[in-house]
Amino acid sequence: MSFFKTGKPFIIAGPCSAETREQVLQTAEGLAPLGIDMYRAGVWKPRTRPGSFEGNGEQALQWMLEAKQLYNFKYTVEVAEPAHVELALKYGADALWVGARTTVNPFHVQHLADAVKGIDIPVLVKNPVNPDVELWVGAIERFEAAGITNVAAIHRGFSGYNTPVGYRNQPNWPIPIELRRRRPELPIICDPSHISGKRVRIAEVAQKAMDMHFDGLMIETHINPDEAWTDARQQITPAQLGDLLSKLVVRDEFTNDMGVQVQLEYLRQQMDAVDVEILDLLAKRMELSEKVGEIKKTANMTAYQPARWREMIESVTSRCDITGLDKELVIALYEKIHNESIRRQLQILGNAGIEIKK
Ligand code: PEP
Ligand code: MN
């Protein structure tokens, strides 16, 4: 059993940064009655721009150790360099976390993995800032190869230029889902604070993570969030965290309730039958598309015709009002279908291998 799988969501809470001894101890005092699994704070802060608060370093580790001893907490800090690992271990850290800006760099990750070799401390690996599941898996594998038996992933969202309104980092849920598909046993913890960037959305993102069967949450908690030196807008008080946790609906992947199982089975059989129909229709559509390709070849016409593509998108999306299907989903689906159709027609025209990008 993994250190991070306790049978209930693994909760990590604490301030973004360890600012002062009082702030670290008062926040810990506020969290103590909530029964969290681990206290957190950044003592070395990776800041986007120079000149801002970069953490209190070794001094802050002393405060974390005090909080650990006073409230019987386990605690974790972010490490980005082997020297950080050495100091964190010296001050009794119970787990190390690797930040999103470090996970992107295999050199740094390998240096950290080398630094923990032979010390079996749990390691939490945040997703890289870019939406690259390979890089995330690669970082996890480096720690596993170094002999770390308790590795967990933290989903904290991804940087992007067009981040949807209301989020600080794009959640890009398919990426942690892909990670789960590849590594079903790996615990995945969600960090709704960095995904949402705003207090008001934390509960909603946390609940979504529970609905998707994540193993825990890392939530930034501060005794006085408005006065926080870093990430002030996304930190909540220990009382607000208590409220959030009490309202969290934790779901199971499976049920022993036979009645529910029968209902699910009935619906799933119908869905499976519909899937067979969808695939048969798709195959039929491709056959028609190939016939069109033959005609285009005889008439010396191009496989890709932008006007036809626009017409098709208009026609299929116009049905969204009737079907209730999401427009973006329909467009994404038809992009795939159309690409495949063009690929087949190109083969007929004798230009196999040319990729069409819209
Ligand atoms: C943090 O947890 O405070 C932090 C710096 O996170 P991230 O690496 O996700 O930006
Ligand atoms: Mn933060």
Side-chain angles (χ1 to χ4, degrees):
M1 199 60 168
S2 161
F3 173 83
F4 298 103
K5 292 199 183 192
T6 61
K8 59 180 192 52
F10 192 92
I11 306 297
I12 306 170
C16 178
S17 310
E19 299 161 5
T20 64
R21 181 171 173 270
E22 289 64 41
Q23 173 249 10
V24 168
L25 295 183
Q26 282 171 16
T27 306
E29 186 185 10
L31 288 169
L34 303 185
I36 59 166
D37 297 283
M38 199 168 249
Y39 192 46
R40 67 147 274 164
V43 305
W44 297 283
K45 298 302 298 177
R47 305 311 302 278
T48 304
R49 309 273 305 270
S52 27
F53 174 62
E54 292 189 327
N56 286 311
E58 185 168 358
Q59 189 185 194
L61 287 171
Q62 179 60 50
W63 308 332
M64 294 301 279
L65 180 58
E66 270 186 77
K68 168 176 170 154
Q69 288 163 345
L70 269 171
Y71 300 104
N72 204 16
F73 277 155
K74 289 190 164 46
Y75 86 85
T76 180
V77 286
E78 174 173 352
V79 291
E81 293 168 5
H84 296 166
V85 174
E86 202 180 308
L87 281 168
L89 294 171
K90 178 175 159 195
Y91 285 90
D94 300 281
L96 305 172
W97 102 70
V98 180
R101 293 167 186 80
T102 304
T103 309
V104 281
N105 189 320
F107 288 127
H108 287 307
V109 174
Q110 191 56 51
H111 289 153
L112 293 174
D114 292 342
V116 292
K117 218 180 184 128
I119 310 150
D120 197 6
I121 186 166
V123 175
L124 296 137
V125 183
K126 286 203 169 193
N127 64 253
V129 281
N130 54 324
D132 184 346
V133 75
E134 287 293 325
L135 204 50
W136 199 2
V137 171
I140 289 161
E141 286 170 349
R142 287 178 196 276
F143 287 103
E144 288 170 339
I148 299 294
T149 47
N150 286 297
V151 182
I154 302 184
H155 170 230
R156 51 75 82 190
F158 303 88
S159 298
Y161 193 60
N162 279 323
T163 300
V165 187
Y167 290 106
R168 173 175 171 190
N169 291 309
Q170 298 176 6
N172 234 327
W173 296 101
I175 292 187
I177 290 171
E178 172 60 15
L179 180 65
R180 162 104 341 134
R181 191 187 65 77
R182 290 191 192 195
R183 299 292 308 270
E185 292 309 316
L186 183 83
I188 309 182
I189 288 171
C190 179
D191 170 350
S193 310
H194 288 87
I195 290 176
S196 59
K198 265 200 227 78
R199 265 165 234 159
V200 290
R201 292 207 76 167
I202 293 172
E204 176 195 325
V205 176
Q207 184 58 56
K208 181 149 183 178
M210 290 298 102
D211 295 348
M212 303 220 291
H213 211 250
F214 276 56
D215 301 282
L217 298 167
M218 180 190 251
I219 299 186
E220 286 189 340
T221 315
H222 191 290
I223 195 65
N224 190 359
D226 285 329
E227 301 299 320
W229 299 0
T230 56
D231 288 352
R233 294 198 310 152
Q234 71 192 34
Q235 302 206 56
I236 57 175
T237 62
Q240 285 167 331
L241 179 69
D243 188 45
L244 184 156
L245 294 178
S246 71
K247 291 180 179 149
L248 206 62
V249 182
V250 180
R251 301 182 196 279
D252 289 325
E253 189 178 353
F254 302 107
T255 175
N256 293 325
D257 184 328
M258 288 298 284
V260 172
Q261 282 179 13
V262 167
Q263 279 175 24
L264 283 178
E265 195 45 39
Y266 175 67
L267 290 170
R268 282 181 173 157
Q269 280 183 15
Q270 290 182 59
M271 283 202 292
D272 290 348
V274 171
D275 283 341
V276 170
E277 281 178 48
I278 292 175
L279 292 172
D280 286 353
L281 284 172
L282 194 58
K284 177 138 181 71
R285 195 196 182 286
M286 290 305 157
E287 260 173 43
L288 290 169
S289 161
E290 284 179 3
K291 282 188 185 150
V292 169
E294 299 290 351
I295 293 174
K296 283 180 178 170
K297 184 172 186 175
T298 320
N300 210 18
M301 289 165 73
T302 56
Y304 178 48
Q305 291 165 306
R308 162 74 181 146
W309 166 242
R310 275 194 299 276
E311 214 178 82
M312 206 163 102
I313 281 297
E314 256 171 54
S315 148
V316 292
T317 52
S318 72
R319 295 189 57 76
C320 286
D321 289 341
I322 310 165
T323 57
L325 288 172
D326 182 70
K327 257 193 188 146
E328 274 179 34
L329 167 76
V330 170
I331 293 173
L333 199 60
Y334 269 84
E335 261 170 359
K336 289 252 187 273
I337 293 176
H338 190 238
N339 272 353
E340 172 61 10
S341 175
I342 298 290
R343 190 188 67 78
R344 287 179 184 229
Q345 291 187 3
L346 282 176
Q347 244 166 8
I348 292 166
L349 296 186
N351 293 325
I354 298 176
E355 287 270 329
I356 296 293
K357 292 230 164 25
K358 283 184 283 290

Coordinates of all heavy atoms in Angstrom, one line a residue, residues 58 61 65 75 84-93:
E58 N 16.8 27.8 5.1 CA 17.0 26.9 6.2 C 16.3 27.4 7.5 O 15.8 26.6 8.2 CB 18.6 26.9 6.5 CG 18.9 25.9 7.6 CD 20.4 25.6 7.6 OE1 21.2 26.1 6.8 OE2 20.8 24.8 8.6
L61 N 12.9 26.0 7.6 CA 12.9 24.6 7.9 C 12.8 24.4 9.4 O 12.1 23.4 9.9 CB 14.1 23.9 7.3 CG 14.1 23.7 5.8 CD1 15.4 23.2 5.3 CD2 13.0 22.8 5.3
L65 N 9.9 22.3 11.3 CA 10.2 21.2 12.3 C 9.5 21.5 13.6 O 9.0 20.6 14.2 CB 11.8 21.1 12.5 CG 12.3 20.1 13.5 CD1 11.8 18.7 13.1 CD2 13.8 20.1 13.5
Y75 N 5.5 16.7 7.5 CA 5.5 17.9 6.6 C 6.3 17.7 5.3 O 7.2 16.8 5.3 CB 6.0 19.1 7.4 CG 7.5 19.3 7.5 CD1 8.2 20.0 6.5 CD2 8.2 18.9 8.6 CE1 9.5 20.3 6.6 CE2 9.6 19.1 8.7 CZ 10.2 19.8 7.7 OH 11.6 20.0 7.7
H84 N 18.9 21.5 -1.4 CA 17.6 21.6 -0.7 C 17.3 20.2 -0.1 O 16.8 20.2 1.1 CB 16.5 22.0 -1.7 CG 16.7 23.3 -2.3 ND1 16.0 23.7 -3.4 CD2 17.5 24.4 -2.0 CE1 16.3 24.9 -3.7 NE2 17.2 25.4 -2.9
V85 N 17.5 19.2 -0.8 CA 17.2 17.8 -0.3 C 18.0 17.6 1.0 O 17.4 17.2 2.0 CB 17.6 16.7 -1.3 CG1 17.4 15.3 -0.8 CG2 16.8 16.9 -2.6
E86 N 19.2 17.9 1.0 CA 20.1 17.6 2.2 C 19.6 18.4 3.4 O 19.4 17.9 4.5 CB 21.5 18.1 1.8 CG 22.6 17.5 2.7 CD 23.9 18.0 2.3 OE1 24.2 17.9 1.0 OE2 24.6 18.5 3.1
L87 N 19.2 19.7 3.2 CA 18.7 20.5 4.3 C 17.3 20.0 4.8 O 17.0 19.9 6.0 CB 18.6 22.0 3.9 CG 20.0 22.7 3.9 CD1 19.9 24.0 3.2 CD2 20.5 22.9 5.4
A88 N 16.4 19.7 3.8 CA 15.1 19.2 4.2 C 15.2 18.0 5.0 O 14.5 17.8 6.0 CB 14.3 19.0 2.9
L89 N 16.1 17.1 4.7 CA 16.2 15.8 5.4 C 16.8 16.1 6.8 O 16.4 15.6 7.8 CB 17.1 14.8 4.7 CG 16.6 14.3 3.4 CD1 17.6 13.5 2.6 CD2 15.3 13.4 3.7
K90 N 17.8 17.1 6.9 CA 18.4 17.5 8.1 C 17.3 18.0 9.1 O 17.4 17.7 10.3 CB 19.4 18.5 7.9 CG 20.1 19.1 9.1 CD 21.2 20.1 8.7 CE 21.6 21.0 9.9 NZ 22.3 22.1 9.5
Y91 N 16.3 18.7 8.6 CA 15.2 19.2 9.5 C 14.0 18.3 9.5 O 12.9 18.8 9.8 CB 14.9 20.6 9.0 CG 16.0 21.6 9.4 CD1 17.0 21.9 8.6 CD2 16.0 22.3 10.7 CE1 18.1 22.8 8.9 CE2 17.0 23.1 11.0 CZ 18.0 23.4 10.2 OH 19.0 24.3 10.5
G92 N 14.1 17.1 9.2 CA 13.0 16.1 9.4 C 11.9 16.2 8.5 O 10.8 15.8 8.9
A93 N 12.1 16.6 7.3 CA 10.9 16.6 6.3 C 10.5 15.2 6.1 O 11.3 14.3 6.0 CB 11.4 17.3 5.0

